[in-house]
Each structure stands twice: as structure tokens, then as C-alpha cells.
Amino acid sequence: MAEEQKKEERKRRRHATEAAGKIGPMVKATIGGTVKAREEGKSIAYAFIVCSYDEIIRAMDIVPVWTENYAGICGAKRDATRFLERAESLNFSRSLCTYALCGLGFDQWREELGEMPPDAPWGGQAKPDFMLSSGQILCDPRNKWYQAVQQYMPDVPIYNVGLPWPLYEDDIDVADVEDYYIKYIVEELRGLIKFLERQTGRKMDWDRLSELVDLGERTWNLIWETYELRRAVPTPMGTGDAMNTMVPMVFMLGTQEGYDFFLELNKELKDKIARKEGVVKDEKYRLLWGGGLPSWFALTDFNYFNSKGAVFPVETTYRMIEPIYRLNIPDTNDPIERLAWRWIRYWTYWYDKARKRPGSEPDVERLIQYIEDYQIDGIVMHEAFSCRTWHLGLIWQLNQLKKIYKPIPVLRLGSNRQKKGEKRELPSLILESDIVDISSYSEVDTRNRIDAFIETLEQTKKNNR
């Protein structure tokens, strides 16, 4: 009976926007489309989120299978455990990225059976013709995941796109080394195109690629303008919805469908602002989701925050855009160079701003900007046990913010009344769980922590008056 009640609660997960409610059917259709594409003999590629080659594969009529997305779907449907356990039985450690483990377990099972595993979520993950890695400092599985799965699909070749992530150094001006990075990325992407041409037997249509890069850039600008509407008080959309609306941003870039989605969302948010309609009727606390992937099996936690009058008008997770016109990309008619400049300038966007604030860092500068722009009262972060590369620095970021806002780590409840002349307090909450491994999650413990955080927010508001 308790499990049935939880299923009903998940079905009742509320969306503040109509657009967010359309994402589930959209993703389901996309996954089903990859299975159909496999049956029709179309070229299929395993691909990663934020890979910089979105428009390239679209221009070559290659159907992407977003493997991280499918693992997230398995997690959201609370059906990842059997794939994780299968990967463990193959001697992969449960401490590895559970996106990768879920994918490895699924792919091995599919290849062993010669068909989809039984009751595969939304029809299953289609076998690819080739796999496109996206090596970054950010995430080891983006290099190693497809290499590991290749032992179950030895006939499927891999191409790794080595994308650099320029490190922030006090004594190095990124402008002095940009040309080196651009040359390197251009070579990597041109190498990818040659690989795809060999695999598909088709040549790149360069005019079409230019058109899709144009469309991708227009979509970037539209997304930024749309998300900026969330500054309104009350906010018309929260992070709970943004964890859905990110799908067209990171999986449908360079498609008219993705652009049209954000055009519709933009209009909806403007209409809600005009009606002064917010995520909740009585908006008491404005929170920043300051980092970390969410627990896809526990997105109803956002509704729990809402029930306490707390909303998330902004997040760093999956907000993968800055307006193109602010990136100051040099004029070039080469679509590959444009993709390279977009990549570098996005990742280095906050470098100059960080240098202007003594003791700041790019990631911290971004948090500071959002705190000020969105009138933030507190910060929530989520540390996923199996995603160490990204989540390791979250506590460090909070410690850096203490120098400016005196964040109160709620898990260590050390709140005292603010002394005259001190900077305002900014409470913080660190949630702990995983992205798809539900065994790491305790709803009771999570919501107890949220309750304590809300109490601290209320007391802090009184302190800051």
C-alpha cells in the first residue's frame, strides 16, 4: 500500500508551467524514435550531453542516443536498480558513475539477449552504429564509459572528441592562449566529421551545418532571455521545472523543435508574470540550486520545498548557456570555428569577472551573480555519491561564499543572530543521495533536513531585517 501511495505521489508531481509538463511525452517520443530509427536502418550514435557536436550530427542526419538521458529516465522511473546490479555482476564497482553503470548493465543485457531487456523503460536504448565520446576534464566516464561498453559491442567503433576546459589561473590570461585552444578544437571537430563521413558514407553538407549553427545560436539567446524572466517576483518557474525544460537545451540544440519549445515557454512565462502568477501562491523564500545533479527518482522534493513557500528561480545545473552576443565571438563564416569559439567563450565567460573581485573564482562568481540578480535567500546543493568529479567542489564553493555572505551550513546548524555591521547571512543546505541509485536515498531524512533548513531561513530573515 505504501508503495502504491508513493507511485501516486510521483504521478502528481506538479509543474508550474505547461511547457515542463510536455517534456515527458517529448522524451518518450525521442527514445521511441531511436528504436524506430534502428529498425529503419538509419545511422545511430551514442552521444553525451554538452558535447559541442550537436549541430554536426544533426547536419549529417545521424540519430543521437543520449545515454546519460536514458540512465536518468531509468532513475526517474525507479527502474535503474536491476541494470546497476547487472553491471556490478560484471565486476564494475557500484562507486562508479551510476549513469555509466546503468548504461553498461543495460547494454550488456541487451546484447546477451539479442533484444531489449524485459519491460525496458520507454522501449529501451537502441544499439548504436558508432559511439561519440566527449573527453573533458569534467567527467572521466565521458572518456571511459564507451570504451568499457565496447567489450559487449566490439563491432561498434568509437570516436573521442577531446574538448579542453581551460583552467582558471591567476597568472594566465585566457586571451593569451585562446588561439591554441580554438585551433585544437577545430582539428578535433574536423576529425569527427571525417570519421562520420567514413561511417555513414555521406559527405557533410556545409551549408546545412551553417544553418543549424545559426539556429543553435538563436536558440541559445532565446533560452537565456527566457530563463532571465524567472527573476520576476513571484517567480513564474522553478528549478523543478527547469530539470525538465533543460531537455530541448541539451538534447535538441540545432533543431526547430527545440527553438519552438523555448519560444512557447517564453510566452508562457511572460503571461504568468503579467498575471503575477508564481510557482506558489505565497512566495516566502527564494533559493538558488547552487550545484549538483538532482536525484531523478526524487524530483517531488521540489514540490516539498514549494509546500513550504520556498521556490528556486535559478540554478547552475543545466543552465548551459550565456547569450551569444555577450560572448564576443569573432566574425567567421566557418561553422566549425563558431562552434569552437562558443565552447571556449562559454566556459571562460566568468574568468574576467572573477578577477575583478578579490578572492573570487569563476564558479563562485557565477553564484554571487545569481544571488544578487535573483534576490536569493538561501542555497541548496546536492552531492551525488557517484558523481564525484562535479560534486567534489561544492563544499569548497560554499566556503568561498562565506567570505561574502556568511552561509550557514544547515547540516552543521551553527546559526547565531547577526551582529551589527556584519554581512547578511545566507543559509545553505547540502542534500546527499545519488542521481539514479535509489538505495542511497531516504525521503524521511531528506525532508527532515529541508524542514530544518526552512526554519533556519525564517530565523535568518528575521536576523537580516
Side-chain angles (χ1 to χ4, degrees):
M1 180 62 70
E3 184 60 31
E4 289 300 318
Q5 290 176 344
K6 289 181 179 180
K7 286 182 179 180
E8 286 302 313
E9 180 182 353
R10 293 198 296 274
K11 289 179 181 179
R12 292 194 302 269
R13 192 169 78 82
R14 299 184 303 278
H15 297 292
T17 63
E18 293 181 9
K22 297 177 181 179
I23 291 296
M26 185 183 294
V27 175
K28 187 173 184 179
T30 299
I31 292 173
T34 62
V35 175
K36 184 178 180 181
R38 171 81 280 167
E39 296 170 352
E40 294 175 349
K42 295 180 180 179
S43 297
I44 297 177
Y46 272 7
F48 282 111
I49 187 175
V50 191
C51 57
S52 197
Y53 49 63
D54 303 67
E55 290 97 335
I56 290 174
I57 57 179
R58 301 287 184 185
M60 295 197 69
D61 291 321
I62 293 167
V63 179
V65 176
W66 305 104
T67 49
E68 292 154 304
N69 180 233
Y70 189 71
I73 293 299
C74 292
K77 294 181 71 64
R78 301 195 172 190
D79 193 19
T81 300
R82 54 182 174 146
F83 305 123
L84 298 175
E85 291 177 345
R86 177 164 284 263
E88 276 190 296
S89 74
L90 301 170
N91 295 319
F92 291 102
S93 170
R94 191 65 165 260
S95 66
L96 296 175
C97 167
T98 47
Y99 277 167
L101 288 181
C102 184
L104 286 163
F106 187 96
D107 283 343
Q108 188 277 337
W109 198 354
R110 183 195 61 223
E111 295 306 294
E112 179 182 283
L113 292 174
E115 59 185 18
M116 292 295 179
D119 300 318
W122 287 355
Q125 181 169 261
K127 179 179 179 179
D129 296 297
F130 38 86
M131 297 181 281
L132 308 179
S133 297
S134 179
Q136 298 169 26
I137 299 171
L138 173 68
C139 176
D140 289 341
R142 296 170 77 90
N143 269 318
K144 307 302 293 184
W145 177 350
Y146 294 165
Q147 293 178 22
V149 81
Q150 199 175 37
Q151 62 187 300
Y152 312 116
M153 301 187 294
D155 57 325
V156 180
I158 300 174
Y159 187 89
N160 183 67
V161 181
L163 294 174
W165 189 1
L167 295 179
Y168 178 77
E169 301 288 350
D170 291 334
D171 58 346
I172 298 177
D173 189 336
V174 70
D176 294 336
V177 294
E178 270 188 330
D179 288 344
Y180 164 78
Y181 285 121
I182 296 302
K183 181 180 179 181
Y184 174 77
I185 297 171
V186 167
E187 289 178 355
E188 288 291 295
L189 295 179
R190 290 193 182 281
L192 170 64
I193 290 172
K194 291 179 180 178
F195 171 81
L196 297 177
E197 288 178 336
R198 289 196 304 269
Q199 295 299 316
T200 64
R202 299 189 298 272
K203 290 293 184 180
M204 169 61 76
D205 183 335
W206 292 96
D207 289 338
R208 186 183 182 198
L209 177 59
S210 290
E211 291 173 359
L212 294 185
V213 172
D214 286 342
L215 178 57
E217 291 177 358
R218 291 199 305 274
T219 304
W220 265 47
N221 288 335
L222 177 60
I223 294 169
W224 184 82
E225 292 166 5
T226 301
Y227 275 36
E228 283 288 278
L229 295 172
R230 297 165 58 195
R231 289 195 194 192
V233 180
T235 187
M237 188 179 101
T239 294
D241 276 18
M243 293 303 176
N244 287 275
T245 60
M246 66 87 180
V247 167
M249 182 194 314
V250 297
F251 299 125
M252 301 173 70
L253 194 63
T255 69
Q256 190 63 43
E257 186 179 6
Y259 180 85
D260 291 344
F261 174 87
F262 284 105
L263 203 61
E264 180 181 346
L265 178 60
N266 186 282
K267 181 181 183 303
E268 182 181 354
L269 295 190
K270 287 178 178 176
D271 290 344
K272 292 171 80 68
I273 291 170
R275 299 192 300 267
K276 299 187 181 302
E277 180 181 329
V279 174
V280 297
K281 291 183 178 180
D282 182 12
E283 183 179 290
K284 296 179 180 178
Y285 318 105
R286 293 170 67 86
L287 307 178
L288 163 62
W289 183 268
L293 296 171
S295 297
W296 293 110
F297 44 76
L299 293 181
T300 52
D301 285 342
F302 285 108
N303 292 146
Y304 189 73
F305 275 105
N306 295 160
S307 72
K308 305 293 182 179
V311 298
F312 290 84
V314 66
E315 63 286 324
T316 59
T317 303
Y318 294 126
R319 184 159 171 150
M320 311 303 296
I321 41 86
E322 297 297 339
I324 295 293
Y325 52 80
R326 286 191 180 179
L327 300 184
N328 297 317
I329 294 176
D331 290 334
T332 174
N333 293 324
D334 185 338
I336 300 301
E337 289 183 359
R338 288 163 65 189
L339 290 174
W341 279 110
R342 184 201 298 174
W343 176 266
I344 288 296
R345 288 286 171 87
Y346 168 75
W347 288 112
T348 60
Y349 178 77
W350 298 97
Y351 285 19
D352 287 342
K353 292 187 177 183
R355 286 194 176 92
K356 293 176 183 177
R357 191 190 303 268
S360 187
E361 297 279 346
D363 289 341
V364 176
E365 183 64 27
R366 188 183 189 193
L367 294 175
I368 293 170
Q369 191 74 52
Y370 288 168
I371 289 166
E372 300 303 318
D373 287 350
Y374 290 82
Q375 305 175 55
I376 295 302
D377 299 308
I379 304 175
V380 178
M381 293 183 172
H382 177 238
E383 288 198 308
F385 296 130
S386 72
C387 191
R388 293 177 298 278
T389 311
W390 186 0
H391 299 82
L392 184 62
L394 298 183
I395 294 176
W396 175 84
Q397 291 177 30
L398 289 178
N399 288 335
Q400 293 296 103
L401 282 176
K402 285 181 182 179
K403 300 173 184 177
I404 298 174
Y405 293 109
K406 284 178 61 65
I408 306 167
V410 164
L411 301 185
R412 303 168 183 78
L413 294 179
S415 175
N416 293 310
R417 292 192 66 83
Q418 185 177 10
K419 296 179 181 178
K420 185 176 181 179
E422 284 188 333
K423 297 170 183 176
R424 71 181 178 92
E425 297 172 333
L426 195 73
S428 59
L429 168 63
I430 301 174
L431 299 175
E432 296 174 333
S433 184
D434 190 52
I435 41 182
V436 300
D437 184 0
I438 197 171
S439 68
S440 66
Y441 176 74
S442 168
E443 182 178 282
V444 172
D445 178 61
T446 298
R447 299 197 173 182
N448 283 341
R449 292 186 181 199
I450 293 171
D451 289 341
F453 180 57
I454 297 297
E455 291 177 7
T456 303
L457 283 170
E458 181 59 31
Q459 183 59 51
T460 302
K461 276 210 162 189
K462 295 177 181 178
N463 293 351
N464 285 332
R465 287 174 187 151

XYZ file of all heavy atoms in Angstrom, residues 115-152:
305
model
N 17.936 -8.836 -27.789
C 16.753 -7.982 -27.854
C 16.740 -7.117 -26.595
O 17.587 -7.271 -25.714
C 15.472 -8.826 -27.918
C 15.292 -9.746 -26.724
C 14.076 -10.648 -26.874
O 13.585 -10.807 -28.003
O 13.635 -11.196 -25.843
N 15.766 -6.205 -26.503
C 15.704 -5.317 -25.345
C 15.451 -6.111 -24.062
O 14.703 -7.108 -24.079
C 14.597 -4.275 -25.516
C 14.859 -3.260 -26.618
S 16.288 -2.216 -26.271
C 16.262 -1.208 -27.769
N 16.037 -5.701 -22.943
C 15.698 -6.308 -21.657
C 14.197 -6.207 -21.408
O 13.528 -5.295 -21.926
C 16.486 -5.470 -20.644
C 17.657 -4.962 -21.421
C 17.120 -4.711 -22.804
N 13.637 -7.126 -20.649
C 12.185 -7.115 -20.423
C 11.704 -5.815 -19.791
O 12.356 -5.270 -18.892
C 11.963 -8.311 -19.479
C 13.297 -8.590 -18.872
C 14.295 -8.218 -19.910
N 10.578 -5.323 -20.310
C 9.953 -4.103 -19.788
C 10.938 -2.932 -19.726
O 10.935 -2.140 -18.760
C 9.367 -4.364 -18.393
C 8.314 -5.448 -18.406
O 7.493 -5.449 -19.332
O 8.334 -6.293 -17.494
N 11.761 -2.792 -20.741
C 12.730 -1.692 -20.779
C 11.990 -0.353 -20.764
O 11.032 -0.165 -21.512
C 13.585 -1.796 -22.037
N 12.393 0.573 -19.885
C 11.710 1.866 -19.819
C 11.597 2.533 -21.191
O 12.592 2.678 -21.906
C 12.595 2.681 -18.866
C 13.206 1.637 -17.971
C 13.463 0.470 -18.867
N 10.388 2.880 -21.542
C 10.082 3.627 -22.768
C 10.656 2.974 -24.028
O 11.087 3.642 -24.951
C 10.528 5.074 -22.642
C 9.624 5.846 -21.722
C 8.474 5.410 -21.133
C 9.802 7.196 -21.280
N 7.916 6.396 -20.356
C 8.704 7.498 -20.426
C 10.772 8.154 -21.512
C 8.563 8.737 -19.805
C 10.620 9.388 -20.894
C 9.525 9.680 -20.054
N 10.672 1.666 -24.036
C 11.064 0.945 -25.244
C 12.514 0.549 -25.325
O 12.893 -0.263 -26.169
N 13.349 1.121 -24.456
C 14.740 0.701 -24.424
C 15.693 1.625 -25.155
O 15.301 2.573 -25.835
N 16.971 1.317 -25.009
C 18.053 2.087 -25.605
C 18.594 1.335 -26.806
O 19.123 0.235 -26.677
C 19.148 2.302 -24.550
C 20.337 3.097 -25.009
C 21.239 3.495 -23.842
O 21.180 4.598 -23.348
N 22.062 2.572 -23.381
N 18.466 1.930 -27.981
C 18.849 1.249 -29.217
C 20.363 1.089 -29.328
O 21.128 1.951 -28.898
C 18.334 2.028 -30.422
N 20.795 -0.025 -29.924
C 22.217 -0.253 -30.165
C 22.704 0.726 -31.231
O 22.062 0.921 -32.252
C 22.448 -1.685 -30.626
C 23.926 -1.998 -30.919
C 24.136 -3.430 -31.360
C 25.595 -3.709 -31.660
N 25.833 -5.123 -32.073
N 23.868 1.354 -31.014
C 24.364 2.349 -31.961
C 25.197 1.730 -33.088
O 25.646 0.587 -32.992
C 25.238 3.237 -31.089
C 25.838 2.258 -30.112
C 24.725 1.263 -29.811
N 25.403 2.534 -34.126
C 26.354 2.161 -35.174
C 27.760 2.600 -34.799
O 28.742 2.001 -35.240
C 25.950 2.816 -36.499
C 24.611 2.321 -36.996
O 24.502 1.116 -37.283
O 23.659 3.132 -37.078
N 27.856 3.658 -34.017
C 29.140 4.147 -33.522
C 28.878 4.971 -32.273
O 27.735 5.367 -31.993
C 29.893 4.976 -34.583
C 29.010 5.848 -35.431
C 28.634 7.121 -35.026
C 28.546 5.384 -36.663
C 27.821 7.911 -35.817
C 27.729 6.170 -37.454
C 27.362 7.439 -37.038
N 29.950 5.214 -31.497
C 29.825 5.923 -30.228
C 30.750 7.133 -30.233
O 31.920 7.026 -30.643
C 30.176 4.993 -29.058
C 29.216 3.808 -28.938
S 29.579 2.698 -27.546
C 30.950 1.738 -28.229
N 30.239 8.273 -29.772
C 30.979 9.524 -29.784
C 31.265 9.968 -28.362
O 30.390 10.497 -27.676
C 30.186 10.602 -30.534
C 29.695 10.214 -31.940
C 28.903 11.358 -32.549
C 30.856 9.801 -32.837
N 32.481 9.717 -27.920
C 32.882 10.180 -26.591
C 33.116 11.684 -26.631
O 33.190 12.290 -27.701
C 34.148 9.460 -26.140
O 33.935 8.071 -26.006
N 33.263 12.260 -25.465
C 33.457 13.711 -25.381
C 34.377 14.001 -24.216
O 33.954 14.460 -23.164
C 32.111 14.421 -25.201
O 32.280 15.811 -25.105
N 35.658 13.679 -24.410
C 36.600 13.782 -23.317
C 36.712 15.190 -22.767
O 36.945 16.147 -23.497
N 36.547 15.314 -21.458
C 36.678 16.593 -20.778
C 37.305 16.367 -19.417
O 37.205 15.288 -18.844
C 35.303 17.250 -20.589
C 34.579 17.582 -21.866
C 33.135 17.980 -21.587
O 32.817 18.446 -20.518
N 32.279 17.779 -22.557
N 37.902 17.405 -18.894
C 38.405 17.321 -17.527
C 37.249 17.054 -16.572
O 37.398 16.424 -15.537
C 39.107 18.641 -17.152
C 40.307 18.884 -18.082
C 39.575 18.634 -15.698
C 40.919 20.259 -17.920
N 36.070 17.515 -16.974
C 34.888 17.474 -16.121
C 34.531 16.077 -15.638
O 34.142 15.881 -14.497
C 33.717 18.076 -16.896
C 32.331 17.997 -16.275
C 32.280 18.885 -15.047
C 31.267 18.418 -17.272
N 34.654 15.059 -16.500
C 33.996 13.788 -16.200
C 34.732 12.620 -16.845
O 34.762 12.491 -18.072
C 32.557 13.877 -16.725
S 31.589 12.382 -16.567
N 35.299 11.743 -16.031
C 36.027 10.586 -16.555
C 35.177 9.655 -17.418
O 35.657 9.156 -18.444
C 36.639 9.784 -15.400
C 37.793 10.518 -14.745
O 38.342 11.436 -15.384
O 38.140 10.188 -13.599
N 33.918 9.353 -17.021
C 33.132 8.432 -17.860
C 32.942 8.903 -19.294
O 32.681 8.085 -20.186
C 31.783 8.364 -17.114
C 32.134 8.635 -15.697
C 33.230 9.650 -15.760
N 33.073 10.189 -19.548
C 32.917 10.670 -20.911
C 34.068 10.177 -21.797
O 33.970 10.204 -23.022
C 32.814 12.197 -20.921
C 31.574 12.695 -20.190
C 31.601 14.192 -19.990
N 31.275 14.905 -21.200
C 30.028 15.254 -21.544
N 29.011 14.926 -20.766
N 29.805 15.920 -22.644
N 35.152 9.743 -21.181
C 36.237 9.078 -21.907
C 36.115 7.563 -21.858
O 36.320 6.878 -22.856
C 37.594 9.468 -21.310
C 38.198 10.691 -21.970
O 38.151 10.832 -23.188
N 38.755 11.580 -21.168
N 35.781 7.038 -20.683
C 35.943 5.601 -20.439
C 34.675 4.771 -20.593
O 34.752 3.556 -20.792
C 36.515 5.389 -19.028
C 37.784 6.156 -18.734
C 38.908 5.817 -19.709
C 39.400 4.386 -19.559
N 40.550 4.114 -20.438
N 33.507 5.351 -20.454
C 32.246 4.606 -20.484
C 32.123 3.796 -21.775
O 31.901 2.582 -21.748
C 31.099 5.592 -20.328
C 29.690 5.070 -20.404
C 29.273 3.825 -20.779
C 28.507 5.802 -20.088
N 27.891 3.737 -20.731
C 27.406 4.941 -20.302
C 28.270 7.097 -19.652
C 26.076 5.352 -20.104
C 26.964 7.498 -19.445
C 25.881 6.633 -19.662
N 32.268 4.455 -22.907
C 32.065 3.763 -24.174
C 33.180 2.759 -24.453
O 32.953 1.736 -25.124
C 31.942 4.768 -25.317
C 30.702 5.643 -25.242
C 30.593 6.794 -26.014
C 29.640 5.334 -24.388
C 29.461 7.611 -25.949
C 28.514 6.143 -24.309
C 28.434 7.284 -25.095
O 27.316 8.084 -25.024
N 34.368 3.044 -23.929
C 35.429 2.046 -24.052
C 35.059 0.784 -23.289
O 35.300 -0.340 -23.748
C 36.743 2.617 -23.524
C 37.316 3.754 -24.359
C 38.587 4.319 -23.767
O 39.269 3.655 -22.988
N 38.906 5.561 -24.116
N 34.463 0.972 -22.104
C 34.084 -0.184 -21.297
C 32.961 -0.981 -21.955
O 32.975 -2.219 -21.960
C 33.655 0.282 -19.900
N 31.974 -0.282 -22.537
C 30.840 -0.997 -23.131
C 31.235 -1.668 -24.446
O 30.551 -2.586 -24.912
C 29.657 -0.028 -23.342
C 29.811 0.803 -24.612
C 28.329 -0.782 -23.391
N 32.350 -1.249 -25.008
C 32.774 -1.816 -26.292
C 33.107 -3.312 -26.166
O 33.056 -4.041 -27.157
C 33.980 -1.051 -26.838
C 34.210 -1.251 -28.330
C 35.321 -0.383 -28.860
O 36.326 -0.152 -28.190
N 35.157 0.120 -30.074
N 33.401 -3.772 -24.956
C 33.676 -5.207 -24.801
C 32.421 -6.046 -25.041
O 32.523 -7.236 -25.334
C 34.239 -5.497 -23.418
C 33.312 -5.171 -22.258
C 33.994 -5.332 -20.918
O 34.453 -6.425 -20.576
N 34.065 -4.238 -20.165
N 31.230 -5.430 -24.948
C 29.984 -6.126 -25.247
C 29.484 -5.816 -26.655
O 28.603 -6.509 -27.159
C 28.905 -5.746 -24.216
C 29.410 -5.831 -22.796
C 29.491 -4.701 -21.992
C 29.867 -7.047 -22.279
C 29.987 -4.776 -20.702
C 30.376 -7.125 -20.996
C 30.439 -5.981 -20.211
O 30.954 -6.060 -18.938
